[in-house]
Amino acid sequence: MVQNGQAELVDWPIVTTRSGNRAVSQNNQEIRYPIDFEQPQVIVNAATPDMAFTPSPTAPSEPEKPKAAARTAPKEKPTILAAIPSSFETRNAGVTLELEPVISPDGKQIDVQIAPSHVTLLGYEKTKVTAEDYSVTVDQPKFESLKTSTNLTLKSGEPHLFGFYKLKEPGDTVELVILTVTITTVK
């Protein structure tokens, strides 16, 4: 299906470990975002200096003569509301494969405790932070998390359909998690 363009390979984590040892493989991007905010502050008549904005500054060809500073009365500024982040959280977006295999005494099967996950950042949504009679809108991330944790007994080298997820975005899309555990011996 991938070769025919009917499917997309999201990730292919491979991890090697010893029987009875936990192993983790991650392909993630850390997304840091604020989770708590100080109370919104109301600032009335905030005086800021008048500044000219130059979209693409250039060096003058001749030195300019200094201009006399214009004297103007401070302009009344509108009320400003602010929500300053006070604490942050980091979430890993991407694919994680966590497992702990135990080879059976006959060496033909593997008991595996496994927890694959796929976290996707879908975008940002507006959330209101409110204090007293005022509210401020902030952007907060929206995640989709696909995760399963279970224990299985598998035969060495045989693929196993581990998860089947219907995605929220993009619509009409499913994600499959296929696991193959293979016993190898080291000499």
Side-chain angles (χ1 to χ4, degrees), residues 147-174:
K147 183 174 182 176
T148 303
S149 179
T150 191
N151 295 303
L152 298 170
T153 300
L154 303 172
K155 290 184 179 179
S156 178
E158 290 186 4
H160 180 78
L161 177 61
F162 181 76
F164 183 91
Y165 306 101
K166 186 174 188 310
L167 302 181
K168 290 181 175 86
E169 293 181 22
D172 299 327
T173 304
V174 295

mmCIF file with all atom_site columns, all heavy atoms in Angstrom, residues 147-174:
data_model
loop_
_atom_site.group_PDB
_atom_site.id
_atom_site.type_symbol
_atom_site.label_atom_id
_atom_site.label_alt_id
_atom_site.label_comp_id
_atom_site.label_asym_id
_atom_site.label_entity_id
_atom_site.label_seq_id
_atom_site.pdbx_PDB_ins_code
_atom_site.Cartn_x
_atom_site.Cartn_y
_atom_site.Cartn_z
_atom_site.occupancy
_atom_site.B_iso_or_equiv
_atom_site.pdbx_formal_charge
_atom_site.auth_seq_id
_atom_site.auth_comp_id
_atom_site.auth_asym_id
_atom_site.auth_atom_id
_atom_site.pdbx_PDB_model_num
ATOM 1   N N   . LYS A 1 147 ? -2.694  5.631   22.010 1.00 0.00 ? 147 LYS A N   1
ATOM 2   C CA  . LYS A 1 147 ? -1.813  4.840   22.862 1.00 0.00 ? 147 LYS A CA  1
ATOM 3   C C   . LYS A 1 147 ? -2.531  3.592   23.325 1.00 0.00 ? 147 LYS A C   1
ATOM 4   O O   . LYS A 1 147 ? -3.700  3.625   23.671 1.00 0.00 ? 147 LYS A O   1
ATOM 5   C CB  . LYS A 1 147 ? -1.357  5.649   24.074 1.00 0.00 ? 147 LYS A CB  1
ATOM 6   C CG  . LYS A 1 147 ? -0.374  4.885   24.949 1.00 0.00 ? 147 LYS A CG  1
ATOM 7   C CD  . LYS A 1 147 ? 0.180   5.735   26.063 1.00 0.00 ? 147 LYS A CD  1
ATOM 8   C CE  . LYS A 1 147 ? 1.186   4.940   26.857 1.00 0.00 ? 147 LYS A CE  1
ATOM 9   N NZ  . LYS A 1 147 ? 1.834   5.717   27.890 1.00 0.00 ? 147 LYS A NZ  1
ATOM 10  N N   . THR A 1 148 ? -1.792  2.500   23.349 1.00 0.00 ? 148 THR A N   1
ATOM 11  C CA  . THR A 1 148 ? -2.299  1.238   23.867 1.00 0.00 ? 148 THR A CA  1
ATOM 12  C C   . THR A 1 148 ? -1.199  0.622   24.714 1.00 0.00 ? 148 THR A C   1
ATOM 13  O O   . THR A 1 148 ? -0.029  0.729   24.384 1.00 0.00 ? 148 THR A O   1
ATOM 14  C CB  . THR A 1 148 ? -2.675  0.271   22.728 1.00 0.00 ? 148 THR A CB  1
ATOM 15  O OG1 . THR A 1 148 ? -3.625  0.906   21.881 1.00 0.00 ? 148 THR A OG1 1
ATOM 16  C CG2 . THR A 1 148 ? -3.266  -1.015  23.259 1.00 0.00 ? 148 THR A CG2 1
ATOM 17  N N   . SER A 1 149 ? -1.590  -0.031  25.787 1.00 0.00 ? 149 SER A N   1
ATOM 18  C CA  . SER A 1 149 ? -0.634  -0.729  26.635 1.00 0.00 ? 149 SER A CA  1
ATOM 19  C C   . SER A 1 149 ? -1.208  -2.104  26.936 1.00 0.00 ? 149 SER A C   1
ATOM 20  O O   . SER A 1 149 ? -2.346  -2.216  27.384 1.00 0.00 ? 149 SER A O   1
ATOM 21  C CB  . SER A 1 149 ? -0.414  0.054   27.925 1.00 0.00 ? 149 SER A CB  1
ATOM 22  O OG  . SER A 1 149 ? 0.493   -0.620  28.749 1.00 0.00 ? 149 SER A OG  1
ATOM 23  N N   . THR A 1 150 ? -0.431  -3.158  26.661 1.00 0.00 ? 150 THR A N   1
ATOM 24  C CA  . THR A 1 150 ? -0.936  -4.510  26.872 1.00 0.00 ? 150 THR A CA  1
ATOM 25  C C   . THR A 1 150 ? 0.229   -5.494  27.002 1.00 0.00 ? 150 THR A C   1
ATOM 26  O O   . THR A 1 150 ? 1.383   -5.132  26.829 1.00 0.00 ? 150 THR A O   1
ATOM 27  C CB  . THR A 1 150 ? -1.864  -4.939  25.715 1.00 0.00 ? 150 THR A CB  1
ATOM 28  O OG1 . THR A 1 150 ? -2.529  -6.143  26.062 1.00 0.00 ? 150 THR A OG1 1
ATOM 29  C CG2 . THR A 1 150 ? -1.096  -5.145  24.426 1.00 0.00 ? 150 THR A CG2 1
ATOM 30  N N   . ASN A 1 151 ? -0.122  -6.736  27.286 1.00 0.00 ? 151 ASN A N   1
ATOM 31  C CA  . ASN A 1 151 ? 0.830   -7.849  27.331 1.00 0.00 ? 151 ASN A CA  1
ATOM 32  C C   . ASN A 1 151 ? 0.386   -8.880  26.303 1.00 0.00 ? 151 ASN A C   1
ATOM 33  O O   . ASN A 1 151 ? -0.792  -9.238  26.251 1.00 0.00 ? 151 ASN A O   1
ATOM 34  C CB  . ASN A 1 151 ? 0.844   -8.499  28.723 1.00 0.00 ? 151 ASN A CB  1
ATOM 35  C CG  . ASN A 1 151 ? 1.368   -7.547  29.766 1.00 0.00 ? 151 ASN A CG  1
ATOM 36  O OD1 . ASN A 1 151 ? 2.462   -7.041  29.655 1.00 0.00 ? 151 ASN A OD1 1
ATOM 37  N ND2 . ASN A 1 151 ? 0.563   -7.290  30.792 1.00 0.00 ? 151 ASN A ND2 1
ATOM 38  N N   . LEU A 1 152 ? 1.318   -9.363  25.497 1.00 0.00 ? 152 LEU A N   1
ATOM 39  C CA  . LEU A 1 152 ? 1.019   -10.336 24.449 1.00 0.00 ? 152 LEU A CA  1
ATOM 40  C C   . LEU A 1 152 ? 2.063   -11.443 24.443 1.00 0.00 ? 152 LEU A C   1
ATOM 41  O O   . LEU A 1 152 ? 3.188   -11.246 24.898 1.00 0.00 ? 152 LEU A O   1
ATOM 42  C CB  . LEU A 1 152 ? 1.062   -9.675  23.064 1.00 0.00 ? 152 LEU A CB  1
ATOM 43  C CG  . LEU A 1 152 ? 0.073   -8.565  22.768 1.00 0.00 ? 152 LEU A CG  1
ATOM 44  C CD1 . LEU A 1 152 ? 0.448   -7.893  21.457 1.00 0.00 ? 152 LEU A CD1 1
ATOM 45  C CD2 . LEU A 1 152 ? -1.333  -9.119  22.687 1.00 0.00 ? 152 LEU A CD2 1
ATOM 46  N N   . THR A 1 153 ? 1.679   -12.589 23.901 1.00 0.00 ? 153 THR A N   1
ATOM 47  C CA  . THR A 1 153 ? 2.628   -13.645 23.614 1.00 0.00 ? 153 THR A CA  1
ATOM 48  C C   . THR A 1 153 ? 2.680   -13.778 22.101 1.00 0.00 ? 153 THR A C   1
ATOM 49  O O   . THR A 1 153 ? 1.655   -14.019 21.454 1.00 0.00 ? 153 THR A O   1
ATOM 50  C CB  . THR A 1 153 ? 2.199   -14.981 24.261 1.00 0.00 ? 153 THR A CB  1
ATOM 51  O OG1 . THR A 1 153 ? 2.128   -14.788 25.673 1.00 0.00 ? 153 THR A OG1 1
ATOM 52  C CG2 . THR A 1 153 ? 3.176   -16.082 23.942 1.00 0.00 ? 153 THR A CG2 1
ATOM 53  N N   . LEU A 1 154 ? 3.864   -13.593 21.531 1.00 0.00 ? 154 LEU A N   1
ATOM 54  C CA  . LEU A 1 154 ? 4.028   -13.588 20.082 1.00 0.00 ? 154 LEU A CA  1
ATOM 55  C C   . LEU A 1 154 ? 5.058   -14.625 19.655 1.00 0.00 ? 154 LEU A C   1
ATOM 56  O O   . LEU A 1 154 ? 5.955   -14.960 20.422 1.00 0.00 ? 154 LEU A O   1
ATOM 57  C CB  . LEU A 1 154 ? 4.493   -12.204 19.617 1.00 0.00 ? 154 LEU A CB  1
ATOM 58  C CG  . LEU A 1 154 ? 3.599   -11.027 19.991 1.00 0.00 ? 154 LEU A CG  1
ATOM 59  C CD1 . LEU A 1 154 ? 4.287   -9.719  19.634 1.00 0.00 ? 154 LEU A CD1 1
ATOM 60  C CD2 . LEU A 1 154 ? 2.257   -11.123 19.287 1.00 0.00 ? 154 LEU A CD2 1
ATOM 61  N N   . LYS A 1 155 ? 4.916   -15.071 18.401 1.00 0.00 ? 155 LYS A N   1
ATOM 62  C CA  . LYS A 1 155 ? 5.917   -15.962 17.823 1.00 0.00 ? 155 LYS A CA  1
ATOM 63  C C   . LYS A 1 155 ? 6.992   -15.116 17.171 1.00 0.00 ? 155 LYS A C   1
ATOM 64  O O   . LYS A 1 155 ? 6.707   -14.068 16.586 1.00 0.00 ? 155 LYS A O   1
ATOM 65  C CB  . LYS A 1 155 ? 5.277   -16.893 16.788 1.00 0.00 ? 155 LYS A CB  1
ATOM 66  C CG  . LYS A 1 155 ? 4.363   -17.923 17.397 1.00 0.00 ? 155 LYS A CG  1
ATOM 67  C CD  . LYS A 1 155 ? 3.845   -18.859 16.341 1.00 0.00 ? 155 LYS A CD  1
ATOM 68  C CE  . LYS A 1 155 ? 2.930   -19.910 16.978 1.00 0.00 ? 155 LYS A CE  1
ATOM 69  N NZ  . LYS A 1 155 ? 2.384   -20.818 15.978 1.00 0.00 ? 155 LYS A NZ  1
ATOM 70  N N   . SER A 1 156 ? 8.207   -15.583 17.254 1.00 0.00 ? 156 SER A N   1
ATOM 71  C CA  . SER A 1 156 ? 9.342   -14.853 16.701 1.00 0.00 ? 156 SER A CA  1
ATOM 72  C C   . SER A 1 156 ? 9.187   -14.669 15.193 1.00 0.00 ? 156 SER A C   1
ATOM 73  O O   . SER A 1 156 ? 8.916   -15.626 14.462 1.00 0.00 ? 156 SER A O   1
ATOM 74  C CB  . SER A 1 156 ? 10.636  -15.604 16.996 1.00 0.00 ? 156 SER A CB  1
ATOM 75  O OG  . SER A 1 156 ? 11.735  -14.927 16.432 1.00 0.00 ? 156 SER A OG  1
ATOM 76  N N   . GLY A 1 157 ? 9.341   -13.418 14.733 1.00 0.00 ? 157 GLY A N   1
ATOM 77  C CA  . GLY A 1 157 ? 9.347   -13.114 13.306 1.00 0.00 ? 157 GLY A CA  1
ATOM 78  C C   . GLY A 1 157 ? 7.996   -12.936 12.651 1.00 0.00 ? 157 GLY A C   1
ATOM 79  O O   . GLY A 1 157 ? 7.938   -12.604 11.473 1.00 0.00 ? 157 GLY A O   1
ATOM 80  N N   . GLU A 1 158 ? 6.884   -13.143 13.369 1.00 0.00 ? 158 GLU A N   1
ATOM 81  C CA  . GLU A 1 158 ? 5.562   -13.003 12.763 1.00 0.00 ? 158 GLU A CA  1
ATOM 82  C C   . GLU A 1 158 ? 4.973   -11.633 13.075 1.00 0.00 ? 158 GLU A C   1
ATOM 83  O O   . GLU A 1 158 ? 4.904   -11.241 14.238 1.00 0.00 ? 158 GLU A O   1
ATOM 84  C CB  . GLU A 1 158 ? 4.610   -14.092 13.269 1.00 0.00 ? 158 GLU A CB  1
ATOM 85  C CG  . GLU A 1 158 ? 4.944   -15.468 12.760 1.00 0.00 ? 158 GLU A CG  1
ATOM 86  C CD  . GLU A 1 158 ? 3.899   -16.517 13.171 1.00 0.00 ? 158 GLU A CD  1
ATOM 87  O OE1 . GLU A 1 158 ? 2.885   -16.157 13.778 1.00 0.00 ? 158 GLU A OE1 1
ATOM 88  O OE2 . GLU A 1 158 ? 4.134   -17.694 12.871 1.00 0.00 ? 158 GLU A OE2 1
ATOM 89  N N   . PRO A 1 159 ? 4.519   -10.892 12.044 1.00 0.00 ? 159 PRO A N   1
ATOM 90  C CA  . PRO A 1 159 ? 3.899   -9.588  12.302 1.00 0.00 ? 159 PRO A CA  1
ATOM 91  C C   . PRO A 1 159 ? 2.552   -9.755  13.004 1.00 0.00 ? 159 PRO A C   1
ATOM 92  O O   . PRO A 1 159 ? 1.842   -10.744 12.794 1.00 0.00 ? 159 PRO A O   1
ATOM 93  C CB  . PRO A 1 159 ? 3.731   -8.974  10.915 1.00 0.00 ? 159 PRO A CB  1
ATOM 94  C CG  . PRO A 1 159 ? 3.932   -10.067 9.940  1.00 0.00 ? 159 PRO A CG  1
ATOM 95  C CD  . PRO A 1 159 ? 4.608   -11.202 10.628 1.00 0.00 ? 159 PRO A CD  1
ATOM 96  N N   . HIS A 1 160 ? 2.227   -8.774  13.850 1.00 0.00 ? 160 HIS A N   1
ATOM 97  C CA  . HIS A 1 160 ? 0.976   -8.801  14.608 1.00 0.00 ? 160 HIS A CA  1
ATOM 98  C C   . HIS A 1 160 ? 0.338   -7.421  14.525 1.00 0.00 ? 160 HIS A C   1
ATOM 99  O O   . HIS A 1 160 ? 0.989   -6.413  14.800 1.00 0.00 ? 160 HIS A O   1
ATOM 100 C CB  . HIS A 1 160 ? 1.277   -9.165  16.072 1.00 0.00 ? 160 HIS A CB  1
ATOM 101 C CG  . HIS A 1 160 ? 0.065   -9.216  16.938 1.00 0.00 ? 160 HIS A CG  1
ATOM 102 N ND1 . HIS A 1 160 ? -0.798  -10.286 16.928 1.00 0.00 ? 160 HIS A ND1 1
ATOM 103 C CD2 . HIS A 1 160 ? -0.430  -8.339  17.846 1.00 0.00 ? 160 HIS A CD2 1
ATOM 104 C CE1 . HIS A 1 160 ? -1.777  -10.058 17.796 1.00 0.00 ? 160 HIS A CE1 1
ATOM 105 N NE2 . HIS A 1 160 ? -1.570  -8.887  18.360 1.00 0.00 ? 160 HIS A NE2 1
ATOM 106 N N   . LEU A 1 161 ? -0.954  -7.377  14.124 1.00 0.00 ? 161 LEU A N   1
ATOM 107 C CA  . LEU A 1 161 ? -1.699  -6.117  14.114 1.00 0.00 ? 161 LEU A CA  1
ATOM 108 C C   . LEU A 1 161 ? -2.018  -5.761  15.556 1.00 0.00 ? 161 LEU A C   1
ATOM 109 O O   . LEU A 1 161 ? -2.783  -6.444  16.220 1.00 0.00 ? 161 LEU A O   1
ATOM 110 C CB  . LEU A 1 161 ? -2.984  -6.229  13.291 1.00 0.00 ? 161 LEU A CB  1
ATOM 111 C CG  . LEU A 1 161 ? -3.866  -4.974  13.274 1.00 0.00 ? 161 LEU A CG  1
ATOM 112 C CD1 . LEU A 1 161 ? -3.113  -3.794  12.666 1.00 0.00 ? 161 LEU A CD1 1
ATOM 113 C CD2 . LEU A 1 161 ? -5.146  -5.243  12.503 1.00 0.00 ? 161 LEU A CD2 1
ATOM 114 N N   . PHE A 1 162 ? -1.398  -4.724  16.012 1.00 0.00 ? 162 PHE A N   1
ATOM 115 C CA  . PHE A 1 162 ? -1.478  -4.367  17.420 1.00 0.00 ? 162 PHE A CA  1
ATOM 116 C C   . PHE A 1 162 ? -2.520  -3.292  17.692 1.00 0.00 ? 162 PHE A C   1
ATOM 117 O O   . PHE A 1 162 ? -3.163  -3.284  18.728 1.00 0.00 ? 162 PHE A O   1
ATOM 118 C CB  . PHE A 1 162 ? -0.090  -3.904  17.881 1.00 0.00 ? 162 PHE A CB  1
ATOM 119 C CG  . PHE A 1 162 ? -0.039  -3.545  19.311 1.00 0.00 ? 162 PHE A CG  1
ATOM 120 C CD1 . PHE A 1 162 ? -0.015  -4.512  20.285 1.00 0.00 ? 162 PHE A CD1 1
ATOM 121 C CD2 . PHE A 1 162 ? -0.023  -2.222  19.696 1.00 0.00 ? 162 PHE A CD2 1
ATOM 122 C CE1 . PHE A 1 162 ? 0.013   -4.182  21.617 1.00 0.00 ? 162 PHE A CE1 1
ATOM 123 C CE2 . PHE A 1 162 ? 0.023   -1.880  21.019 1.00 0.00 ? 162 PHE A CE2 1
ATOM 124 C CZ  . PHE A 1 162 ? 0.038   -2.869  21.985 1.00 0.00 ? 162 PHE A CZ  1
ATOM 125 N N   . GLY A 1 163 ? -2.678  -2.340  16.782 1.00 0.00 ? 163 GLY A N   1
ATOM 126 C CA  . GLY A 1 163 ? -3.632  -1.254  17.003 1.00 0.00 ? 163 GLY A CA  1
ATOM 127 C C   . GLY A 1 163 ? -4.256  -0.799  15.704 1.00 0.00 ? 163 GLY A C   1
ATOM 128 O O   . GLY A 1 163 ? -3.634  -0.832  14.649 1.00 0.00 ? 163 GLY A O   1
ATOM 129 N N   . PHE A 1 164 ? -5.516  -0.382  15.793 1.00 0.00 ? 164 PHE A N   1
ATOM 130 C CA  . PHE A 1 164 ? -6.266  0.135   14.647 1.00 0.00 ? 164 PHE A CA  1
ATOM 131 C C   . PHE A 1 164 ? -6.998  1.364   15.161 1.00 0.00 ? 164 PHE A C   1
ATOM 132 O O   . PHE A 1 164 ? -7.890  1.255   15.996 1.00 0.00 ? 164 PHE A O   1
ATOM 133 C CB  . PHE A 1 164 ? -7.253  -0.929  14.145 1.00 0.00 ? 164 PHE A CB  1
ATOM 134 C CG  . PHE A 1 164 ? -8.013  -0.520  12.922 1.00 0.00 ? 164 PHE A CG  1
ATOM 135 C CD1 . PHE A 1 164 ? -7.521  -0.811  11.666 1.00 0.00 ? 164 PHE A CD1 1
ATOM 136 C CD2 . PHE A 1 164 ? -9.224  0.144   13.029 1.00 0.00 ? 164 PHE A CD2 1
ATOM 137 C CE1 . PHE A 1 164 ? -8.222  -0.445  10.532 1.00 0.00 ? 164 PHE A CE1 1
ATOM 138 C CE2 . PHE A 1 164 ? -9.937  0.511   11.894 1.00 0.00 ? 164 PHE A CE2 1
ATOM 139 C CZ  . PHE A 1 164 ? -9.432  0.217   10.643 1.00 0.00 ? 164 PHE A CZ  1
ATOM 140 N N   . TYR A 1 165 ? -6.597  2.554   14.711 1.00 0.00 ? 165 TYR A N   1
ATOM 141 C CA  . TYR A 1 165 ? -7.158  3.805   15.226 1.00 0.00 ? 165 TYR A CA  1
ATOM 142 C C   . TYR A 1 165 ? -7.790  4.606   14.104 1.00 0.00 ? 165 TYR A C   1
ATOM 143 O O   . TYR A 1 165 ? -7.186  4.778   13.053 1.00 0.00 ? 165 TYR A O   1
ATOM 144 C CB  . TYR A 1 165 ? -6.066  4.676   15.856 1.00 0.00 ? 165 TYR A CB  1
ATOM 145 C CG  . TYR A 1 165 ? -5.251  3.987   16.916 1.00 0.00 ? 165 TYR A CG  1
ATOM 146 C CD1 . TYR A 1 165 ? -3.982  3.493   16.627 1.00 0.00 ? 165 TYR A CD1 1
ATOM 147 C CD2 . TYR A 1 165 ? -5.736  3.843   18.208 1.00 0.00 ? 165 TYR A CD2 1
ATOM 148 C CE1 . TYR A 1 165 ? -3.220  2.881   17.601 1.00 0.00 ? 165 TYR A CE1 1
ATOM 149 C CE2 . TYR A 1 165 ? -4.973  3.216   19.186 1.00 0.00 ? 165 TYR A CE2 1
ATOM 150 C CZ  . TYR A 1 165 ? -3.713  2.744   18.876 1.00 0.00 ? 165 TYR A CZ  1
ATOM 151 O OH  . TYR A 1 165 ? -2.960  2.138   19.842 1.00 0.00 ? 165 TYR A OH  1
ATOM 152 N N   . LYS A 1 166 ? -8.975  5.133   14.347 1.00 0.00 ? 166 LYS A N   1
ATOM 153 C CA  . LYS A 1 166 ? -9.618  6.068   13.417 1.00 0.00 ? 166 LYS A CA  1
ATOM 154 C C   . LYS A 1 166 ? -9.217  7.465   13.854 1.00 0.00 ? 166 LYS A C   1
ATOM 155 O O   . LYS A 1 166 ? -9.479  7.872   14.980 1.00 0.00 ? 166 LYS A O   1
ATOM 156 C CB  . LYS A 1 166 ? -11.134 5.923   13.451 1.00 0.00 ? 166 LYS A CB  1
ATOM 157 C CG  . LYS A 1 166 ? -11.826 6.775   12.409 1.00 0.00 ? 166 LYS A CG  1
ATOM 158 C CD  . LYS A 1 166 ? -13.314 6.493   12.391 1.00 0.00 ? 166 LYS A CD  1
ATOM 159 C CE  . LYS A 1 166 ? -14.040 7.145   11.267 1.00 0.00 ? 166 LYS A CE  1
ATOM 160 N NZ  . LYS A 1 166 ? -13.859 8.509   11.020 1.00 0.00 ? 166 LYS A NZ  1
ATOM 161 N N   . LEU A 1 167 ? -8.539  8.207   12.975 1.00 0.00 ? 167 LEU A N   1
ATOM 162 C CA  . LEU A 1 167 ? -8.042  9.535   13.302 1.00 0.00 ? 167 LEU A CA  1
ATOM 163 C C   . LEU A 1 167 ? -9.151  10.574  13.207 1.00 0.00 ? 167 LEU A C   1
ATOM 164 O O   . LEU A 1 167 ? -10.039 10.466  12.365 1.00 0.00 ? 167 LEU A O   1
ATOM 165 C CB  . LEU A 1 167 ? -6.891  9.923   12.373 1.00 0.00 ? 167 LEU A CB  1
ATOM 166 C CG  . LEU A 1 167 ? -5.682  8.994   12.355 1.00 0.00 ? 167 LEU A CG  1
ATOM 167 C CD1 . LEU A 1 167 ? -4.621  9.540   11.413 1.00 0.00 ? 167 LEU A CD1 1
ATOM 168 C CD2 . LEU A 1 167 ? -5.107  8.805   13.738 1.00 0.00 ? 167 LEU A CD2 1
ATOM 169 N N   . LYS A 1 168 ? -9.054  11.589  14.061 1.00 0.00 ? 168 LYS A N   1
ATOM 170 C CA  . LYS A 1 168 ? -10.007 12.694  14.005 1.00 0.00 ? 168 LYS A CA  1
ATOM 171 C C   . LYS A 1 168 ? -9.667  13.613  12.838 1.00 0.00 ? 168 LYS A C   1
ATOM 172 O O   . LYS A 1 168 ? -10.547 14.127  12.173 1.00 0.00 ? 168 LYS A O   1
ATOM 173 C CB  . LYS A 1 168 ? -9.980  13.472  15.323 1.00 0.00 ? 168 LYS A CB  1
ATOM 174 C CG  . LYS A 1 168 ? -10.562 12.690  16.483 1.00 0.00 ? 168 LYS A CG  1
ATOM 175 C CD  . LYS A 1 168 ? -10.543 13.527  17.764 1.00 0.00 ? 168 LYS A CD  1
ATOM 176 C CE  . LYS A 1 168 ? -11.228 12.795  18.877 1.00 0.00 ? 168 LYS A CE  1
ATOM 177 N NZ  . LYS A 1 168 ? -10.430 11.881  19.632 1.00 0.00 ? 168 LYS A NZ  1
ATOM 178 N N   . GLU A 1 169 ? -8.370  13.841  12.638 1.00 0.00 ? 169 GLU A N   1
ATOM 179 C CA  . GLU A 1 169 ? -7.910  14.676  11.537 1.00 0.00 ? 169 GLU A CA  1
ATOM 180 C C   . GLU A 1 169 ? -6.708  14.014  10.893 1.00 0.00 ? 169 GLU A C   1
ATOM 181 O O   . GLU A 1 169 ? -5.814  13.581  11.620 1.00 0.00 ? 169 GLU A O   1
ATOM 182 C CB  . GLU A 1 169 ? -7.529  16.071  12.047 1.00 0.00 ? 169 GLU A CB  1
ATOM 183 C CG  . GLU A 1 169 ? -8.704  16.861  12.540 1.00 0.00 ? 169 GLU A CG  1
ATOM 184 C CD  . GLU A 1 169 ? -8.304  18.248  13.021 1.00 0.00 ? 169 GLU A CD  1
ATOM 185 O OE1 . GLU A 1 169 ? -7.230  18.743  12.603 1.00 0.00 ? 169 GLU A OE1 1
ATOM 186 O OE2 . GLU A 1 169 ? -9.047  18.814  13.810 1.00 0.00 ? 169 GLU A OE2 1
ATOM 187 N N   . PRO A 1 170 ? -6.554  13.896  9.633  1.00 0.00 ? 170 PRO A N   1
ATOM 188 C CA  . PRO A 1 170 ? -7.572  14.174  8.641  1.00 0.00 ? 170 PRO A CA  1
ATOM 189 C C   . PRO A 1 170 ? -8.682  13.119  8.673  1.00 0.00 ? 170 PRO A C   1
ATOM 190 O O   . PRO A 1 170 ? -8.426  11.962  9.032  1.00 0.00 ? 170 PRO A O   1
ATOM 191 C CB  . PRO A 1 170 ? -6.811  14.118  7.315  1.00 0.00 ? 170 PRO A CB  1
ATOM 192 C CG  . PRO A 1 170 ? -5.605  13.289  7.583  1.00 0.00 ? 170 PRO A CG  1
ATOM 193 C CD  . PRO A 1 170 ? -5.298  13.447  9.050  1.00 0.00 ? 170 PRO A CD  1
ATOM 194 N N   . GLY A 1 171 ? -9.864  13.531  8.330  1.00 0.00 ? 171 GLY A N   1
ATOM 195 C CA  . GLY A 1 171 ? -11.023 12.638  8.362  1.00 0.00 ? 171 GLY A CA  1
ATOM 196 C C   . GLY A 1 171 ? -10.852 11.456  7.420  1.00 0.00 ? 171 GLY A C   1
ATOM 197 O O   . GLY A 1 171 ? -10.060 11.495  6.487  1.00 0.00 ? 171 GLY A O   1
ATOM 198 N N   . ASP A 1 172 ? -11.587 10.394  7.674  1.00 0.00 ? 172 ASP A N   1
ATOM 199 C CA  . ASP A 1 172 ? -11.557 9.172   6.860  1.00 0.00 ? 172 ASP A CA  1
ATOM 200 C C   . ASP A 1 172 ? -10.152 8.575   6.754  1.00 0.00 ? 172 ASP A C   1
ATOM 201 O O   . ASP A 1 172 ? -9.757  8.058   5.709  1.00 0.00 ? 172 ASP A O   1
ATOM 202 C CB  . ASP A 1 172 ? -12.116 9.428   5.445  1.00 0.00 ? 172 ASP A CB  1
ATOM 203 C CG  . ASP A 1 172 ? -13.557 9.885   5.483  1.00 0.00 ? 172 ASP A CG  1
ATOM 204 O OD1 . ASP A 1 172 ? -14.293 9.444   6.394  1.00 0.00 ? 172 ASP A OD1 1
ATOM 205 O OD2 . ASP A 1 172 ? -13.962 10.692  4.624  1.00 0.00 ? 172 ASP A OD2 1
ATOM 206 N N   . THR A 1 173 ? -9.392  8.666   7.850  1.00 0.00 ? 173 THR A N   1
ATOM 207 C CA  . THR A 1 173 ? -8.045  8.118   7.882  1.00 0.00 ? 173 THR A CA  1
ATOM 208 C C   . THR A 1 173 ? -7.917  7.187   9.080  1.00 0.00 ? 173 THR A C   1
ATOM 209 O O   . THR A 1 173 ? -8.423  7.487   10.158 1.00 0.00 ? 173 THR A O   1
ATOM 210 C CB  . THR A 1 173 ? -6.998  9.246   7.995  1.00 0.00 ? 173 THR A CB  1
ATOM 211 O OG1 . THR A 1 173 ? -7.196  10.156  6.914  1.00 0.00 ? 173 THR A OG1 1
ATOM 212 C CG2 . THR A 1 173 ? -5.588  8.698   7.953  1.00 0.00 ? 173 THR A CG2 1
ATOM 213 N N   . VAL A 1 174 ? -7.246  6.069   8.871  1.00 0.00 ? 174 VAL A N   1
ATOM 214 C CA  . VAL A 1 174 ? -6.983  5.146   9.973  1.00 0.00 ? 174 VAL A CA  1
ATOM 215 C C   . VAL A 1 174 ? -5.479  4.974   10.110 1.00 0.00 ? 174 VAL A C   1
ATOM 216 O O   . VAL A 1 174 ? -4.723  5.164   9.156  1.00 0.00 ? 174 VAL A O   1
ATOM 217 C CB  . VAL A 1 174 ? -7.662  3.763   9.776  1.00 0.00 ? 174 VAL A CB  1
ATOM 218 C CG1 . VAL A 1 174 ? -9.169  3.889   9.790  1.00 0.00 ? 174 VAL A CG1 1
ATOM 219 C CG2 . VAL A 1 174 ? -7.175  3.080   8.526  1.00 0.00 ? 174 VAL A CG2 1
#
